[in-house]
Amino acid sequence: PGAAASPGPAPGARHSAAMARSRSRRRKSRERARERKRESSGDSEDRAGRAEKEKKEKEERTRQQAEQREAEDRVVRVEAEVKRRVQLRMDTPEFEKTLQEKLDEEMKRHFNLIAVELEMAKKKLVEDFRQQRDDEERSKVEVENIIRANQRRAQEQQTKAAEAHTQQKEEMKRERDLYQRTNDQRRRKLQQQQQGPSLGLVG
């Protein structure tokens, strides 16, 4: 008889090996799934972070734009209010009275300065006369000529002051006339605007 054949693995051993290989494959599959899940979660967090940052930047830009518009609106309102109050002030008789008072005060100040200058000139002339009274060569006519010359200069200054006063009054009158014409034009324009819709309704 020939040599006996070596026996193969038992059926139980083959089954155990198959089960072990199956468990190993399932474990590796679960590990790969968890790895993919972690990568997907990280990408989602990055996208969420970027979206939140963009949202905050957009909200900040919107807030800054709103603040800028509000500031510009405040400036416009303040300018309009200032113009309105100035116009109301200029339309009152008190404004013209105050302007005339200021002009009178200015003219009074000019005349006072001229009076002071005349007084100083007079004192200087007296001092000069006292210093030169022993000078026989200086005659009374020369002194009178000096006085007349100073009086003439004083008269010239007064004349210039009066001319300046007249010029200022004329300029103020021109300004009032211009202001009145502007008001008349504005009133006529307003009347035309008010009559326009009325004519449209009648038509």
Side-chain angles (χ1 to χ4, degrees):
S6 61
R14 288 196 299 271
H15 179 71
S16 297
M19 291 293 292
R21 287 193 298 272
S22 177
R23 285 195 297 272
S24 177
R25 285 195 297 269
R26 286 197 298 269
R27 185 172 59 254
K28 291 180 178 179
S29 178
R30 287 194 299 269
E31 290 176 355
R32 287 195 295 270
R34 284 195 296 269
E35 184 66 24
R36 287 194 297 271
K37 185 176 180 180
R38 283 195 299 270
E39 292 177 356
S40 177
S41 176
D43 293 341
S44 298
E45 291 177 357
D46 291 341
R47 287 195 296 270
R50 288 194 298 271
E52 182 66 20
K53 182 179 180 181
E54 292 176 356
K55 180 181 178 182
K56 290 182 179 180
E57 291 177 352
K58 183 177 180 181
E59 290 175 351
E60 179 65 18
R61 288 195 299 271
T62 302
R63 183 184 64 80
Q64 291 178 356
Q65 291 173 356
E67 290 179 353
Q68 183 177 358
R69 287 194 297 270
E70 184 179 355
E72 291 174 353
D73 292 340
R74 283 198 300 269
V75 171
V76 172
R77 288 195 299 270
V78 169
E79 289 179 352
E81 181 63 19
V82 170
K83 290 180 180 179
R84 185 184 70 83
R85 293 188 181 185
V86 170
Q87 189 63 42
L88 289 175
R89 175 66 175 168
M90 292 178 64
D91 290 341
T92 58
E94 289 80 4
F95 176 78
E96 184 174 353
K97 181 181 177 182
T98 302
L99 186 62
Q100 185 62 45
E101 288 176 354
K102 294 293 184 182
L103 181 60
D104 293 341
E105 290 176 0
E106 186 68 16
M107 293 304 302
K108 183 178 179 181
R109 187 177 69 84
H110 282 298
F111 282 125
N112 289 337
L113 289 176
I114 292 173
V116 170
E117 291 177 357
L118 289 174
E119 185 65 23
M120 292 176 63
K122 185 186 295 183
K123 288 180 179 181
K124 187 176 185 302
L125 287 174
V126 172
E127 291 174 359
D128 290 343
F129 177 74
R130 287 175 180 176
Q131 291 175 359
Q132 297 174 4
R133 62 185 175 180
D134 295 334
D135 190 355
E136 296 178 355
E137 294 181 359
R138 180 171 298 278
S139 64
K140 181 180 179 181
V141 175
E142 291 175 341
V143 174
E144 291 176 351
N145 289 336
I146 293 175
I147 295 175
R148 281 196 296 269
N150 281 278
Q151 289 176 344
R152 185 170 59 253
R153 286 197 298 270
Q155 184 64 36
E156 291 175 354
Q157 291 178 346
Q158 291 178 350
T159 302
K160 290 179 180 179
E163 291 175 353
H165 178 66
T166 301
Q167 184 177 1
Q168 288 179 346
K169 290 183 66 175
E170 291 176 353
E171 291 178 355
M172 188 174 68
K173 182 177 182 301
R174 286 196 295 271
E175 290 178 358
R176 286 201 301 267
D177 293 342
L178 178 60
Y179 176 70
Q180 185 63 39
R181 288 196 299 272
T182 303
N183 281 341
D184 292 342
Q185 292 175 358
R186 186 167 62 250
R187 283 196 294 268
R188 286 196 296 271
K189 185 176 181 181
L190 181 60
Q191 291 175 356
Q192 291 175 358
Q193 292 176 351
Q194 292 176 349
Q195 292 175 358
S198 300
L199 294 175
L201 291 175
V202 174

